[in-house]
Amino acid sequence: MAKNKKRSPASTVAKASMLAKSATIAHDDRPGSNATLPRRAEVKRKPTSAASVAAQIRRKSEETANVVDLGAARLKQTKLHFSNDFHDIRVEFPGPDREPYVLDLSFLGLAPHLAKPLAEGFRIYGVGKRQKTIIGRRSELQVGFLVFLQENDLLHITLEEMDRPLWNQFKQWLDTKIDQRHGKAIHPKTRATTFGALVVVMEALKSVPEFSRLARVAFDARPNVTWDNVETRTTPRERLSYEALQAIDNAVAKDVDALRARIEKSEQLLREGRARLAAEDFDLFDLATCAAYIAQNYPEGLPSLSVLKERNPDLYRYFHCSRKAHRIVQLKEILYPDARDLVPLVVFLAIESAMNPTTLFELEWSDINPGDLLGQPVIRLSGTKWRASEDPLVPIPAARIEPVLDLLKRLTKLVRTTVSHSLKDRVFLFNRFHGTNTAGRGFGGNDRGISYSDCMWRRGLVEFCEDYGLPPFKLSQIRATIGDEVAFRKGIVVSSQVLGHKDVRTTDMHYVSNGTRWREAEWLGHAMLFMERWFRSDGKIDPRRRRLTPRMDRGAATPGFHCFDPYDSPWPMQRKNRLCAAYGQCPSCPLAAADIHDPGAVALYLSLRTAIFDAQGRIAGEAWVERYVRVLVDLDALLKHVPADVMDSAKRFHVILPAVE
């Protein structure tokens, strides 16, 4: 029995280890023995698939033993606040690297029996989502499902009553809803997102034990919708005219110069004030001294008058109790920028980088890095574009952008000390000159959470347009204008690279205007007519001969000449609204023009002269005289006006044109 006794794996391993040690010691203690004992070859067995899977599971569990579930951690940080009468419902979300933000869901109180489950589902849905996404869903729920309940007198229903007939009624209501602005049914995509807002909330609510069963039944009762599958025509983004963009650029340059002068004046005042404070001159009725005192003693920002009166009555009298008193706004203009001050700087970077507005507003200093491109110094702007698979990276010549970046640093130096930690690295910061909040902020810090719809930005942009007599515009139109202009001049592939699109179809659908499409169709029509004329003239009028001289007009029938209207030729046998095919006749045509300062064009004139003379043997004498004697006279008269240096250069070209007929 003792012989067959089973040993534990631990004791077996320990004993084997001791035996190996003793064998090694005995072997080493042999005097003068260098021989090694022959060892049996070890056979390595391949582990079974089950053993491999088990090993991987063990290894994975060891690696993730200390990993915290980020979603669960964020869910614990969300808070839902209800008042007893459901008139005040708020949800608080933790934001990544930013302060927690609170959204108002009080509109759910209109449906008292659904308020709590819908708020709970919305809270769980919003965990880990971006603020803009959550705000969009809140709006869709408010103007969609809640309005539907209100208009159909269904505000009293409970979660248990959300069955298939109710879902179908909601779907039918969306199908018949009229967009008041356009006077027609709302867009299928809008119907899909409005319907989907309720669906995602119900799906999230299934994880709440209190409502799990009823939420699952309500979720499973939803009907299938086909709005997402509807093929709709995509409208390109609205763009500005090229002249309007130039006017905006000129206004930006003037405003930046004015801003630079104001910053230099403010910095001079602060230097003078700091010098007086260092000399123990505390006359705070002096504007420079008072500004320096506030910058030194109130790094968190200048308080409002009511707060200042309560906390520092001595300082308060310098703002209120004397004819010499300063105005709060007057001091804030010296110390901090407001939203209007940032407008020309934002627009400047928008024109230079063609960045998405949200990416631009949320730009941070860590996204701005110096570099080198083809031996030239550049500044690379990156940033975050939430809908893209890759973040943008835009190189801009350093000499062009560095002065503006330096201006931004000087402008936001003091306001940067007043903002929260999450905004310390933000490029665009400002202070509200009116109100009790002393802290600075960035664009998009309001309840909507969308940078370009921030009321402070919109107000500042309107003031900028009014100051310089510009028509109202949106920042997104600058990007659309640049994309369309590049597509028109350089092609859609280059435009997609400038805009940072991974797929050219995105550029084609959203950033190529109808005007550019018409011009492209016009170019295609011209190309077809040029090739038709080339075919009918047996290759004599070749549109590809533009390579002979870069400025050659393809519409002209003879290479080297320019034609004012190739579709209305005065020569016999030519049809109106068709390209002129009178090859060789351009020197005598009243619609033709010649460039006597282009050596390439002059070389073509000399070659035409040779081709006309060479045609004497192929054309009957009378016909040749009738057709080309006058042309030769006009051509020789033209060549007499060519400058000598241009003629010498032209004679170095060896060009042979097809024979005339």
Side-chain angles (χ1 to χ4, degrees), residues 262 298 301-302 332-338 414-415 431 433:
R262 199 190 100 192
Y298 290 90
L302 178 59
K332 283 190 174 183
E333 287 177 349
I334 297 174
L335 299 172
Y336 318 118
D338 68 349
L414 294 176
V415 74
N431 194 296
F433 286 3

Side-chain angles (χ1 to χ4, degrees), residues 78 106 108 116-117 190 268 290-291 305 432 450 532 577:
T78 60
S106 300
L108 294 177
K116 189 172 181 181
T190 306
Q268 178 62 29
C290 188
L305 279 176
R432 285 163 289 195
I450 307 172
E532 179 191 7
N577 297 324

Side-chain angles (χ1 to χ4, degrees), residues 132-309:
K132 178 181 176 181
T133 302
I134 302 172
I135 291 170
R137 286 301 190 193
R138 180 189 65 172
S139 176
E140 290 156 4
L141 201 62
Q142 182 176 6
V143 302
F145 187 60
L146 263 294
V147 174
F148 158 72
L149 295 178
Q150 204 169 11
E151 291 183 1
N152 291 274
D153 196 21
L154 295 171
L155 292 172
H156 60 280
I157 67 168
T158 63
L159 186 60
E160 192 173 1
E161 295 176 275
M162 289 193 61
D163 51 11
R164 176 61 69 91
L166 183 72
W167 282 101
N168 286 332
Q169 189 177 353
F170 181 40
K171 177 177 176 290
Q172 185 179 5
W173 179 80
L174 288 172
D175 282 329
T176 57
K177 187 179 180 183
I178 301 299
D179 184 352
Q180 299 298 330
R181 187 170 58 177
H182 299 100
K184 58 183 180 181
I186 60 175
H187 197 280
K189 298 293 183 185
T190 306
R191 295 178 226 170
T193 55
T194 307
F195 189 85
L198 182 60
V199 172
V200 296
V201 169
M202 284 295 151
E203 186 176 19
L205 189 61
K206 293 190 296 182
S207 62
V208 180
E210 182 182 354
F211 305 106
S212 177
R213 184 182 64 82
L214 294 177
R216 194 175 301 278
V217 173
F219 180 78
D220 293 340
R222 75 194 191 283
N224 293 325
V225 295
T226 58
W227 295 315
D228 279 332
N229 300 327
V230 175
E231 291 292 333
T232 56
R233 181 177 177 272
T234 303
T235 304
R237 298 183 186 276
E238 185 181 358
R239 60 156 289 172
L240 303 167
S241 67
Y242 186 70
E243 293 73 21
L245 186 62
Q246 283 184 318
I248 292 170
D249 193 35
N250 294 335
V252 164
K254 294 177 183 177
D255 211 49
V256 167
D257 289 340
L259 185 61
R260 182 178 289 108
R262 199 190 100 192
I263 292 174
E264 291 172 354
K265 182 179 178 181
S266 299
E267 290 174 342
Q268 178 62 29
L269 283 173
L270 287 172
R271 282 193 296 268
E272 293 174 1
R274 290 185 182 113
R276 289 169 188 159
L277 291 176
E280 299 185 355
D281 179 2
F282 295 100
D283 179 16
L284 297 187
F285 281 120
D286 178 72
L287 183 62
T289 308
C290 188
Y293 179 84
I294 291 169
Q296 178 179 318
N297 294 278
Y298 290 90
E300 73 281 2
L302 178 59
S304 64
L305 279 176
S306 58
V307 175
L308 205 60
K309 182 179 181 180

